[in-house]
Structure formats: structure tokens, C-alpha cells
Amino acid sequence: MINAELEKYIRASLASGMTPDEIKTALLANGWPRTEVEEAMAQKSSGQTLEPIAAAPILPEKKMRPRILLAVLIAVGVLLVGGISWAGYAYYSTLPQKNFQKMVDAMMALKSFEYTAETQTEMNGLAWPAEDFNLNDGEEKPDAKTQPIKYSSKISGGVNFSDLSRPQFSSLFEIFAQEQFKGALGLEIRFVEKTLFLRLSQIPELNLGMIDLSSLKNQWIGVNLTQIQDQINSFSSSAEFKSSFSAEKIQKLKDSLKKSSIFKVTNKFPDETIEGVKTRHYGFALDKEALINFSIEAAALLSDKTPSESEITELREGLKDFEISNNEVWIGKEDSLLYKLAVNSEVKANEKTKVSAKSSSVLTMKNHNQPVKVEAPESFKLFEEWLAEILNSSLVPSSSPIIIE
């Protein structure tokens, strides 16, 4: 059945003097299906007369072809999906950086934790004696030569800053450099009740002349830091010292660090679970310009003096040869705390230092804000006692003891 609106238009067009071809072209151009137009126009050729009417032709309302309609719907869908995707990308591209900043804030409020860090380092450009390392020569040995120095280290322990007036921490440090000396160096450190305890658990084979470290092996040495603390307190009595490290300035320094964005998130990796904790995994890089700006602001804040242009230039030059890249961080999903950190750093040689170094480190943390107890060794010698023993046995006759008060 012919559309009445279409039939009316054809009759009006014929009355206005348009030819059938002109009518057909106008209808097709306005979106009418070819089958309907041809069927209506065929009435004239088949003997079914379409009586002209004395009225100006009014092109019927455009009807969109199904294919055109489908194409438009697809286009609209693509734009809609694209818009949503772009909005999602704009939001989620900033989310990793926000999560990183949350981690910085959470770590600044951290009170206690346990940690383990492993490092691999290679240095080039340093002269190292071929056979031994003698501190008494005062001159470079003839057989000293420049060779790569490779060593690995591991440090583990716990930190407790719950009571800032009585901080506690422990560290077990081990270093291995088989090409430079035989054996490993092991150092254990504990800090309890303002006393620093040290013990050499492993001693490598080194020729240090008259200095004998064997007496230090497995012997705890205590260094009472009360006198040092008294000196600090005497300094703090000055208005200048108090002003430099006032609580207000320290808080401003923390705020400055929070907004500095020294580290920029560069990649988002699949989430991982570390010792039962679900973490977000990101890659990040150092923003040198942000670091310089923070350093300038921090220096001005603590010393009430803006660094000079020469000092800023020196800082830029120092950072020019320093790079950290391919770094990764694992941040707890629920608490935003740091659980793992991998850092790769490089210091390039220049005309002044001629020394280069590469280092890769992995830090893991656990038991955040959980009780960490550090105890003093059951037996130890005060540093003054040990030093007197060493001096008496190594440097002077036994009949003339040295007394250190």
C-alpha cells in the first residue's frame, strides 16, 4: 500500500511541473526507500492515475534509511563508549599517584616495623690494592690498580618510634666482597635507652697494620650517647637552634614533602599478595626538578635563608650524573603502607670524580605498627673500656697503662 503522504507529494509535484525523474531524485535524496518511491511512481506507468493537485509540493518529512540509522547508532555508541573510556582514563591515570601519596602520608605516621634490605653494588674507577689494604702506608701502593669493586649486602632488623623520647632499633648488617677481601663483614647494631650497642659478628681478612679487630668479634661494645645528647640539648638552648628545628618548622617540612611529588608513578602492574597482604604494584621514577625545588624550600625553611644561585647550580650538577630507574613499589590496599620497594640507581663518572657506580636494592617491610622490642645485650663493654684495652695491649708497654676518663 502506497504511503498517503508520499502519494500526496507526488501529485503536488506533478501539478507544479516536475518530471517523474526529478520527483524520484528528490525523494531518494531525502531518505525515502527506493522501493516505496518506485512503487508509487510505477502507478503512473501502470495506468493507475495519480491526479495532480493544485498545491505547492511539500517534501514529506525525511525518513532515515535503516542502514543510515544503524550507522548513526554505531557512531553514537562509539562516541559514548569513547567518552566514558576517556573519562575513566582521566580518573584512573591520577589514581596511582594518589595512592602513592597516601603511602607517603601513611609512612610518615608509622611508629614501628620490621625490615629486610638486600643490595647489589658495582663501583668502577677506584684504585684497590691487589693484595691487602694497609692503612698505615699513607701512600698508594705500587700494585694498586683500578678494577671493578663488586659487593652485596643484607640488612635486617626492627624499628620502634612509638615513644620518641626512647626510640629503639636493631640492625644486622652483612657485606660480602670476595674480590676485595676474604670472608664477610658482619655488624650488629642495637639502640636501647640512649645507648648504642655494636658487635662484629663476622670479620674479613684485612691487613690493617697495628689495628687488630679480632678482639671485637662477638664482643658487644656499648656507646653511651647521654653526653652527646647533653651537647645537643646545650645547642638547643640557643634561640637559633630552637628556631631551626621547632615543631612548627618540622611540620611545615613534612607538608612540603607531601606536596612535592618527588616520585612520579610511571606504570601500573598487576596487583600482588605479599605475605598474605594484598598490595598495589606500581613503577615510579625520580622527578629531579621536584627534588631540587623541595631541597630549596627545605633549606630556606630550616635556615631562614634561600640557597644562592651557585648552591642551586651545584645541586643540579650533582644530580645530573645520578639516575634511578625501573623502580617498583608495592603498597597495601587497605592500609596504604609500604610493603616492598625495589630501586635501581646509577652514578655516572664525570671529569671530576671519574668514579661510577650501579646499585640495585630490594626492601621488604612487615609487622607495621606492631610491637617491636629491642633488648640490650646481657653482657657488654663500654667503648671507653674496650678502647683502653686495645691501646694498652697494642701501642704501649704493659707497664704504662692508658687510662681514659
Side-chain angles (χ1 to χ4, degrees), residues 282-300:
Y282 299 124
F284 70 94
L286 171 68
D287 187 331
K288 290 185 180 180
E289 195 61 32
L291 177 59
I292 291 172
N293 292 335
F294 169 72
S295 300
I296 295 172
E297 186 174 349

Side-chain angles (χ1 to χ4, degrees), residues 271-272 277-280 331-337 339:
D271 296 344
E272 293 185 23
V277 178
K278 295 181 179 180
T279 66
R280 296 183 174 92
I331 303 172
K333 282 189 171 183
E334 294 186 0
D335 53 21
S336 296
L337 290 170
Y339 282 85

Side-chain angles (χ1 to χ4, degrees), residues 318-359:
L319 288 175
K320 185 173 64 175
D321 299 322
F322 175 72
E323 297 288 344
I324 65 170
S325 58
N326 300 321
N327 311 294
E328 300 175 56
V329 62
W330 289 257
I331 303 172
K333 282 189 171 183
E334 294 186 0
D335 53 21
S336 296
L337 290 170
L338 175 65
Y339 282 85
K340 187 177 179 181
L341 179 70
V343 176
N344 297 284
S345 60
E346 178 180 5
V347 178
K348 299 179 181 178
N350 55 44
E351 291 297 325
K352 185 177 181 180
T353 64
K354 297 182 180 180
V355 176
S356 64
K358 290 183 178 181
S359 179

